[in-house]
Amino acid sequence: MVDALIAPAVEGAAQAIPPAAPVAGNCYLVGAAATGAWAGQTGKLAQFTSGGWRFIAPVEGMTAFVRSNSQTAVYRQGAWELGQIRGTALILGGQQVVAGRGAAIASPSGGATVDSQARGAVDLILAALRQHGLIET
């Protein structure tokens, strides 16, 4: 139970039906309209122990590692979010790679000014890539 409380690792995405032959120590996310031994436990972590099923009510911000796809599940606003990462920037090796979304870049519209419009669009794309640290300045 300590593992499930401190650093839970669940077998996969939320499911409504308990496994037929659970292994002691395995943990699951209980899905909507849960049945059988999981009835009434929607949204909780279900861990199978030698004494049967134990349920843990998640708290806001609780995280669990999802073994089936190596993603993270985070409990937010009453539901588990799988594979979503939230933040304001992605920094790799001390270098910011992605930040907030920049303004839209208009597509060239053609005509007699297509060359200057295309150059302008390419310049904006390059500026956005530099802003996000994807290419050097």
Side-chain angles (χ1 to χ4, degrees), residues 16-51:
I17 302 169
V23 175
N26 282 3
C27 198
Y28 302 86
L29 297 177
V30 180
T35 62
W38 291 1
Q41 304 296 332
T42 297
K44 294 182 181 178
L45 289 171
Q47 184 182 39
F48 191 73
T49 69
S50 59

PDB file of all heavy atoms in Angstrom, residues 16-51:
ATOM      1  N   ALA A  16     -13.098  -0.065 -16.275  1.00  0.00           N
ATOM      2  CA  ALA A  16     -14.273  -0.217 -15.415  1.00  0.00           C
ATOM      3  C   ALA A  16     -14.420  -1.609 -14.830  1.00  0.00           C
ATOM      4  O   ALA A  16     -15.129  -1.797 -13.852  1.00  0.00           O
ATOM      5  CB  ALA A  16     -15.537   0.144 -16.202  1.00  0.00           C
ATOM      6  N   ILE A  17     -13.744  -2.575 -15.427  1.00  0.00           N
ATOM      7  CA  ILE A  17     -13.895  -3.967 -14.993  1.00  0.00           C
ATOM      8  C   ILE A  17     -12.592  -4.444 -14.364  1.00  0.00           C
ATOM      9  O   ILE A  17     -11.529  -4.348 -14.981  1.00  0.00           O
ATOM     10  CB  ILE A  17     -14.267  -4.869 -16.187  1.00  0.00           C
ATOM     11  CG1 ILE A  17     -15.564  -4.368 -16.835  1.00  0.00           C
ATOM     12  CG2 ILE A  17     -14.396  -6.320 -15.760  1.00  0.00           C
ATOM     13  CD1 ILE A  17     -15.879  -5.027 -18.162  1.00  0.00           C
ATOM     14  N   PRO A  18     -12.647  -4.951 -13.134  1.00  0.00           N
ATOM     15  CA  PRO A  18     -11.424  -5.465 -12.502  1.00  0.00           C
ATOM     16  C   PRO A  18     -10.852  -6.634 -13.303  1.00  0.00           C
ATOM     17  O   PRO A  18     -11.599  -7.393 -13.918  1.00  0.00           O
ATOM     18  CB  PRO A  18     -11.895  -5.945 -11.122  1.00  0.00           C
ATOM     19  CG  PRO A  18     -13.255  -5.390 -10.928  1.00  0.00           C
ATOM     20  CD  PRO A  18     -13.820  -5.107 -12.277  1.00  0.00           C
ATOM     21  N   PRO A  19      -9.529  -6.792 -13.295  1.00  0.00           N
ATOM     22  CA  PRO A  19      -8.946  -7.932 -14.003  1.00  0.00           C
ATOM     23  C   PRO A  19      -9.417  -9.249 -13.385  1.00  0.00           C
ATOM     24  O   PRO A  19      -9.639  -9.342 -12.179  1.00  0.00           O
ATOM     25  CB  PRO A  19      -7.444  -7.737 -13.843  1.00  0.00           C
ATOM     26  CG  PRO A  19      -7.289  -6.814 -12.682  1.00  0.00           C
ATOM     27  CD  PRO A  19      -8.512  -5.977 -12.630  1.00  0.00           C
ATOM     28  N   ALA A  20      -9.525 -10.268 -14.230  1.00  0.00           N
ATOM     29  CA  ALA A  20     -10.014 -11.575 -13.781  1.00  0.00           C
ATOM     30  C   ALA A  20      -9.035 -12.259 -12.833  1.00  0.00           C
ATOM     31  O   ALA A  20      -9.451 -12.939 -11.896  1.00  0.00           O
ATOM     32  CB  ALA A  20     -10.294 -12.469 -14.984  1.00  0.00           C
ATOM     33  N   ALA A  21      -7.740 -12.090 -13.071  1.00  0.00           N
ATOM     34  CA  ALA A  21      -6.715 -12.746 -12.244  1.00  0.00           C
ATOM     35  C   ALA A  21      -5.671 -11.704 -11.833  1.00  0.00           C
ATOM     36  O   ALA A  21      -4.550 -11.705 -12.356  1.00  0.00           O
ATOM     37  CB  ALA A  21      -6.081 -13.893 -13.002  1.00  0.00           C
ATOM     38  N   PRO A  22      -6.032 -10.809 -10.907  1.00  0.00           N
ATOM     39  CA  PRO A  22      -5.085  -9.760 -10.529  1.00  0.00           C
ATOM     40  C   PRO A  22      -3.879 -10.318  -9.774  1.00  0.00           C
ATOM     41  O   PRO A  22      -3.961 -11.355  -9.119  1.00  0.00           O
ATOM     42  CB  PRO A  22      -5.915  -8.852  -9.625  1.00  0.00           C
ATOM     43  CG  PRO A  22      -6.983  -9.736  -9.074  1.00  0.00           C
ATOM     44  CD  PRO A  22      -7.267 -10.748 -10.148  1.00  0.00           C
ATOM     45  N   VAL A  23      -2.767  -9.626  -9.899  1.00  0.00           N
ATOM     46  CA  VAL A  23      -1.532 -10.009  -9.218  1.00  0.00           C
ATOM     47  C   VAL A  23      -1.358  -9.085  -8.013  1.00  0.00           C
ATOM     48  O   VAL A  23      -1.532  -7.866  -8.124  1.00  0.00           O
ATOM     49  CB  VAL A  23      -0.324  -9.870 -10.177  1.00  0.00           C
ATOM     50  CG1 VAL A  23       0.980 -10.136  -9.464  1.00  0.00           C
ATOM     51  CG2 VAL A  23      -0.498 -10.809 -11.366  1.00  0.00           C
ATOM     52  N   ALA A  24      -1.011  -9.651  -6.873  1.00  0.00           N
ATOM     53  CA  ALA A  24      -0.810  -8.839  -5.671  1.00  0.00           C
ATOM     54  C   ALA A  24       0.239  -7.778  -5.945  1.00  0.00           C
ATOM     55  O   ALA A  24       1.307  -8.055  -6.488  1.00  0.00           O
ATOM     56  CB  ALA A  24      -0.391  -9.710  -4.497  1.00  0.00           C
ATOM     57  N   GLY A  25      -0.094  -6.538  -5.587  1.00  0.00           N
ATOM     58  CA  GLY A  25       0.803  -5.406  -5.794  1.00  0.00           C
ATOM     59  C   GLY A  25       0.450  -4.573  -7.005  1.00  0.00           C
ATOM     60  O   GLY A  25       0.826  -3.414  -7.086  1.00  0.00           O
ATOM     61  N   ASN A  26      -0.263  -5.159  -7.977  1.00  0.00           N
ATOM     62  CA  ASN A  26      -0.631  -4.384  -9.163  1.00  0.00           C
ATOM     63  C   ASN A  26      -1.685  -3.344  -8.816  1.00  0.00           C
ATOM     64  O   ASN A  26      -2.537  -3.559  -7.957  1.00  0.00           O
ATOM     65  CB  ASN A  26      -1.143  -5.296 -10.279  1.00  0.00           C
ATOM     66  CG  ASN A  26      -0.015  -5.992 -11.001  1.00  0.00           C
ATOM     67  OD1 ASN A  26       1.156  -5.845 -10.650  1.00  0.00           O
ATOM     68  ND2 ASN A  26      -0.353  -6.759 -12.019  1.00  0.00           N
ATOM     69  N   CYS A  27      -1.601  -2.222  -9.518  1.00  0.00           N
ATOM     70  CA  CYS A  27      -2.462  -1.082  -9.238  1.00  0.00           C
ATOM     71  C   CYS A  27      -3.153  -0.652 -10.533  1.00  0.00           C
ATOM     72  O   CYS A  27      -2.564  -0.736 -11.612  1.00  0.00           O
ATOM     73  CB  CYS A  27      -1.592   0.041  -8.664  1.00  0.00           C
ATOM     74  SG  CYS A  27      -2.495   1.322  -7.802  1.00  0.00           S
ATOM     75  N   TYR A  28      -4.379  -0.184 -10.424  1.00  0.00           N
ATOM     76  CA  TYR A  28      -5.188   0.184 -11.583  1.00  0.00           C
ATOM     77  C   TYR A  28      -5.902   1.503 -11.324  1.00  0.00           C
ATOM     78  O   TYR A  28      -6.168   1.872 -10.185  1.00  0.00           O
ATOM     79  CB  TYR A  28      -6.240  -0.900 -11.863  1.00  0.00           C
ATOM     80  CG  TYR A  28      -5.641  -2.255 -12.104  1.00  0.00           C
ATOM     81  CD1 TYR A  28      -5.348  -3.109 -11.033  1.00  0.00           C
ATOM     82  CD2 TYR A  28      -5.346  -2.691 -13.384  1.00  0.00           C
ATOM     83  CE1 TYR A  28      -4.778  -4.355 -11.247  1.00  0.00           C
ATOM     84  CE2 TYR A  28      -4.775  -3.941 -13.609  1.00  0.00           C
ATOM     85  CZ  TYR A  28      -4.491  -4.763 -12.538  1.00  0.00           C
ATOM     86  OH  TYR A  28      -3.924  -5.991 -12.750  1.00  0.00           O
ATOM     87  N   LEU A  29      -6.251   2.196 -12.423  1.00  0.00           N
ATOM     88  CA  LEU A  29      -7.123   3.366 -12.341  1.00  0.00           C
ATOM     89  C   LEU A  29      -8.536   2.871 -12.585  1.00  0.00           C
ATOM     90  O   LEU A  29      -8.802   2.222 -13.603  1.00  0.00           O
ATOM     91  CB  LEU A  29      -6.756   4.400 -13.407  1.00  0.00           C
ATOM     92  CG  LEU A  29      -5.368   5.022 -13.325  1.00  0.00           C
ATOM     93  CD1 LEU A  29      -5.144   5.981 -14.497  1.00  0.00           C
ATOM     94  CD2 LEU A  29      -5.192   5.749 -12.010  1.00  0.00           C
ATOM     95  N   VAL A  30      -9.436   3.172 -11.672  1.00  0.00           N
ATOM     96  CA  VAL A  30     -10.818   2.711 -11.801  1.00  0.00           C
ATOM     97  C   VAL A  30     -11.581   3.694 -12.688  1.00  0.00           C
ATOM     98  O   VAL A  30     -11.655   4.885 -12.397  1.00  0.00           O
ATOM     99  CB  VAL A  30     -11.496   2.578 -10.424  1.00  0.00           C
ATOM    100  CG1 VAL A  30     -12.938   2.108 -10.590  1.00  0.00           C
ATOM    101  CG2 VAL A  30     -10.711   1.626  -9.525  1.00  0.00           C
ATOM    102  N   GLY A  31     -12.123   3.177 -13.785  1.00  0.00           N
ATOM    103  CA  GLY A  31     -12.858   3.999 -14.745  1.00  0.00           C
ATOM    104  C   GLY A  31     -14.303   4.228 -14.353  1.00  0.00           C
ATOM    105  O   GLY A  31     -14.796   3.718 -13.344  1.00  0.00           O
ATOM    106  N   ALA A  32     -14.986   4.987 -15.205  1.00  0.00           N
ATOM    107  CA  ALA A  32     -16.399   5.307 -14.986  1.00  0.00           C
ATOM    108  C   ALA A  32     -17.247   4.043 -15.067  1.00  0.00           C
ATOM    109  O   ALA A  32     -16.902   3.099 -15.770  1.00  0.00           O
ATOM    110  CB  ALA A  32     -16.857   6.310 -16.038  1.00  0.00           C
ATOM    111  N   ALA A  33     -18.355   4.049 -14.362  1.00  0.00           N
ATOM    112  CA  ALA A  33     -19.320   2.932 -14.343  1.00  0.00           C
ATOM    113  C   ALA A  33     -18.643   1.617 -13.975  1.00  0.00           C
ATOM    114  O   ALA A  33     -18.904   0.573 -14.571  1.00  0.00           O
ATOM    115  CB  ALA A  33     -20.042   2.831 -15.684  1.00  0.00           C
ATOM    116  N   ALA A  34     -17.774   1.667 -12.995  1.00  0.00           N
ATOM    117  CA  ALA A  34     -17.043   0.475 -12.558  1.00  0.00           C
ATOM    118  C   ALA A  34     -18.007  -0.601 -12.067  1.00  0.00           C
ATOM    119  O   ALA A  34     -19.055  -0.310 -11.498  1.00  0.00           O
ATOM    120  CB  ALA A  34     -16.057   0.840 -11.459  1.00  0.00           C
ATOM    121  N   THR A  35     -17.610  -1.852 -12.292  1.00  0.00           N
ATOM    122  CA  THR A  35     -18.465  -2.981 -11.930  1.00  0.00           C
ATOM    123  C   THR A  35     -17.729  -3.923 -10.983  1.00  0.00           C
ATOM    124  O   THR A  35     -16.540  -3.767 -10.710  1.00  0.00           O
ATOM    125  CB  THR A  35     -18.882  -3.758 -13.192  1.00  0.00           C
ATOM    126  OG1 THR A  35     -17.706  -4.278 -13.809  1.00  0.00           O
ATOM    127  CG2 THR A  35     -19.636  -2.875 -14.168  1.00  0.00           C
ATOM    128  N   GLY A  36     -18.441  -4.924 -10.532  1.00  0.00           N
ATOM    129  CA  GLY A  36     -17.862  -5.959  -9.681  1.00  0.00           C
ATOM    130  C   GLY A  36     -17.277  -5.383  -8.401  1.00  0.00           C
ATOM    131  O   GLY A  36     -17.887  -4.530  -7.760  1.00  0.00           O
ATOM    132  N   ALA A  37     -16.095  -5.835  -8.048  1.00  0.00           N
ATOM    133  CA  ALA A  37     -15.444  -5.394  -6.810  1.00  0.00           C
ATOM    134  C   ALA A  37     -15.108  -3.907  -6.841  1.00  0.00           C
ATOM    135  O   ALA A  37     -14.822  -3.315  -5.804  1.00  0.00           O
ATOM    136  CB  ALA A  37     -14.167  -6.210  -6.583  1.00  0.00           C
ATOM    137  N   TRP A  38     -15.130  -3.301  -8.022  1.00  0.00           N
ATOM    138  CA  TRP A  38     -14.802  -1.881  -8.154  1.00  0.00           C
ATOM    139  C   TRP A  38     -16.040  -0.977  -8.163  1.00  0.00           C
ATOM    140  O   TRP A  38     -15.905   0.245  -8.262  1.00  0.00           O
ATOM    141  CB  TRP A  38     -14.012  -1.636  -9.423  1.00  0.00           C
ATOM    142  CG  TRP A  38     -12.624  -2.201  -9.419  1.00  0.00           C
ATOM    143  CD1 TRP A  38     -12.006  -2.904  -8.428  1.00  0.00           C
ATOM    144  CD2 TRP A  38     -11.678  -2.103 -10.487  1.00  0.00           C
ATOM    145  NE1 TRP A  38     -10.740  -3.246  -8.816  1.00  0.00           N
ATOM    146  CE2 TRP A  38     -10.509  -2.776 -10.077  1.00  0.00           C
ATOM    147  CE3 TRP A  38     -11.707  -1.545 -11.739  1.00  0.00           C
ATOM    148  CZ2 TRP A  38      -9.380  -2.870 -10.878  1.00  0.00           C
ATOM    149  CZ3 TRP A  38     -10.590  -1.636 -12.547  1.00  0.00           C
ATOM    150  CH2 TRP A  38      -9.438  -2.285 -12.120  1.00  0.00           C
ATOM    151  N   ALA A  39     -17.222  -1.521  -8.076  1.00  0.00           N
ATOM    152  CA  ALA A  39     -18.445  -0.715  -8.119  1.00  0.00           C
ATOM    153  C   ALA A  39     -18.385   0.383  -7.063  1.00  0.00           C
ATOM    154  O   ALA A  39     -18.014   0.149  -5.916  1.00  0.00           O
ATOM    155  CB  ALA A  39     -19.670  -1.601  -7.907  1.00  0.00           C
ATOM    156  N   GLY A  40     -18.711   1.592  -7.481  1.00  0.00           N
ATOM    157  CA  GLY A  40     -18.719   2.733  -6.564  1.00  0.00           C
ATOM    158  C   GLY A  40     -17.348   3.331  -6.286  1.00  0.00           C
ATOM    159  O   GLY A  40     -17.210   4.208  -5.438  1.00  0.00           O
ATOM    160  N   GLN A  41     -16.323   2.886  -6.978  1.00  0.00           N
ATOM    161  CA  GLN A  41     -14.947   3.354  -6.719  1.00  0.00           C
ATOM    162  C   GLN A  41     -14.379   4.177  -7.882  1.00  0.00           C
ATOM    163  O   GLN A  41     -13.165   4.376  -7.971  1.00  0.00           O
ATOM    164  CB  GLN A  41     -14.026   2.158  -6.441  1.00  0.00           C
ATOM    165  CG  GLN A  41     -14.484   1.263  -5.316  1.00  0.00           C
ATOM    166  CD  GLN A  41     -14.494   1.972  -3.967  1.00  0.00           C
ATOM    167  OE1 GLN A  41     -13.735   2.894  -3.722  1.00  0.00           O
ATOM    168  NE2 GLN A  41     -15.384   1.538  -3.076  1.00  0.00           N
ATOM    169  N   THR A  42     -15.225   4.669  -8.763  1.00  0.00           N
ATOM    170  CA  THR A  42     -14.793   5.424  -9.939  1.00  0.00           C
ATOM    171  C   THR A  42     -13.777   6.510  -9.578  1.00  0.00           C
ATOM    172  O   THR A  42     -13.957   7.254  -8.617  1.00  0.00           O
ATOM    173  CB  THR A  42     -16.008   6.067 -10.643  1.00  0.00           C
ATOM    174  OG1 THR A  42     -16.863   5.019 -11.097  1.00  0.00           O
ATOM    175  CG2 THR A  42     -15.597   6.929 -11.819  1.00  0.00           C
ATOM    176  N   GLY A  43     -12.702   6.572 -10.367  1.00  0.00           N
ATOM    177  CA  GLY A  43     -11.680   7.601 -10.200  1.00  0.00           C
ATOM    178  C   GLY A  43     -10.587   7.254  -9.209  1.00  0.00           C
ATOM    179  O   GLY A  43      -9.560   7.926  -9.146  1.00  0.00           O
ATOM    180  N   LYS A  44     -10.768   6.216  -8.436  1.00  0.00           N
ATOM    181  CA  LYS A  44      -9.788   5.850  -7.412  1.00  0.00           C
ATOM    182  C   LYS A  44      -8.693   4.950  -7.976  1.00  0.00           C
ATOM    183  O   LYS A  44      -8.818   4.395  -9.060  1.00  0.00           O
ATOM    184  CB  LYS A  44     -10.479   5.149  -6.242  1.00  0.00           C
ATOM    185  CG  LYS A  44     -11.419   6.054  -5.475  1.00  0.00           C
ATOM    186  CD  LYS A  44     -12.048   5.330  -4.306  1.00  0.00           C
ATOM    187  CE  LYS A  44     -13.004   6.247  -3.554  1.00  0.00           C
ATOM    188  NZ  LYS A  44     -13.662   5.538  -2.450  1.00  0.00           N
ATOM    189  N   LEU A  45      -7.622   4.821  -7.221  1.00  0.00           N
ATOM    190  CA  LEU A  45      -6.600   3.826  -7.500  1.00  0.00           C
ATOM    191  C   LEU A  45      -7.044   2.542  -6.815  1.00  0.00           C
ATOM    192  O   LEU A  45      -7.477   2.568  -5.662  1.00  0.00           O
ATOM    193  CB  LEU A  45      -5.253   4.252  -6.911  1.00  0.00           C
ATOM    194  CG  LEU A  45      -4.532   5.409  -7.576  1.00  0.00           C
ATOM    195  CD1 LEU A  45      -3.345   5.830  -6.722  1.00  0.00           C
ATOM    196  CD2 LEU A  45      -4.077   5.035  -8.951  1.00  0.00           C
ATOM    197  N   ALA A  46      -6.953   1.447  -7.534  1.00  0.00           N
ATOM    198  CA  ALA A  46      -7.302   0.145  -6.968  1.00  0.00           C
ATOM    199  C   ALA A  46      -6.039  -0.702  -6.949  1.00  0.00           C
ATOM    200  O   ALA A  46      -5.447  -0.963  -7.986  1.00  0.00           O
ATOM    201  CB  ALA A  46      -8.379  -0.528  -7.807  1.00  0.00           C
ATOM    202  N   GLN A  47      -5.625  -1.095  -5.766  1.00  0.00           N
ATOM    203  CA  GLN A  47      -4.454  -1.968  -5.651  1.00  0.00           C
ATOM    204  C   GLN A  47      -4.903  -3.316  -5.114  1.00  0.00           C
ATOM    205  O   GLN A  47      -5.637  -3.396  -4.125  1.00  0.00           O
ATOM    206  CB  GLN A  47      -3.398  -1.373  -4.729  1.00  0.00           C
ATOM    207  CG  GLN A  47      -2.146  -2.250  -4.684  1.00  0.00           C
ATOM    208  CD  GLN A  47      -1.094  -1.722  -3.736  1.00  0.00           C
ATOM    209  OE1 GLN A  47      -1.417  -1.239  -2.659  1.00  0.00           O
ATOM    210  NE2 GLN A  47       0.162  -1.837  -4.140  1.00  0.00           N
ATOM    211  N   PHE A  48      -4.419  -4.370  -5.778  1.00  0.00           N
ATOM    212  CA  PHE A  48      -4.752  -5.708  -5.315  1.00  0.00           C
ATOM    213  C   PHE A  48      -3.685  -6.153  -4.321  1.00  0.00           C
ATOM    214  O   PHE A  48      -2.491  -6.049  -4.581  1.00  0.00           O
ATOM    215  CB  PHE A  48      -4.846  -6.700  -6.478  1.00  0.00           C
ATOM    216  CG  PHE A  48      -5.437  -8.011  -6.065  1.00  0.00           C
ATOM    217  CD1 PHE A  48      -6.787  -8.123  -5.789  1.00  0.00           C
ATOM    218  CD2 PHE A  48      -4.632  -9.126  -5.921  1.00  0.00           C
ATOM    219  CE1 PHE A  48      -7.337  -9.338  -5.391  1.00  0.00           C
ATOM    220  CE2 PHE A  48      -5.172 -10.344  -5.525  1.00  0.00           C
ATOM    221  CZ  PHE A  48      -6.533 -10.445  -5.254  1.00  0.00           C
ATOM    222  N   THR A  49      -4.117  -6.620  -3.171  1.00  0.00           N
ATOM    223  CA  THR A  49      -3.204  -7.093  -2.122  1.00  0.00           C
ATOM    224  C   THR A  49      -3.583  -8.517  -1.747  1.00  0.00           C
ATOM    225  O   THR A  49      -4.611  -9.040  -2.203  1.00  0.00           O
ATOM    226  CB  THR A  49      -3.295  -6.201  -0.864  1.00  0.00           C
ATOM    227  OG1 THR A  49      -4.578  -6.398  -0.259  1.00  0.00           O
ATOM    228  CG2 THR A  49      -3.094  -4.731  -1.196  1.00  0.00           C
ATOM    229  N   SER A  50      -2.786  -9.112  -0.893  1.00  0.00           N
ATOM    230  CA  SER A  50      -3.107 -10.470  -0.434  1.00  0.00           C
ATOM    231  C   SER A  50      -4.440 -10.498   0.310  1.00  0.00           C
ATOM    232  O   SER A  50      -5.079 -11.530   0.413  1.00  0.00           O
ATOM    233  CB  SER A  50      -1.988 -11.005   0.456  1.00  0.00           C
ATOM    234  OG  SER A  50      -1.817 -10.158   1.573  1.00  0.00           O
ATOM    235  N   GLY A  51      -4.886  -9.336   0.781  1.00  0.00           N
ATOM    236  CA  GLY A  51      -6.165  -9.246   1.481  1.00  0.00           C
ATOM    237  C   GLY A  51      -7.313  -8.796   0.599  1.00  0.00           C
ATOM    238  O   GLY A  51      -8.402  -8.534   1.081  1.00  0.00           O
TER     239      GLY A  51
END
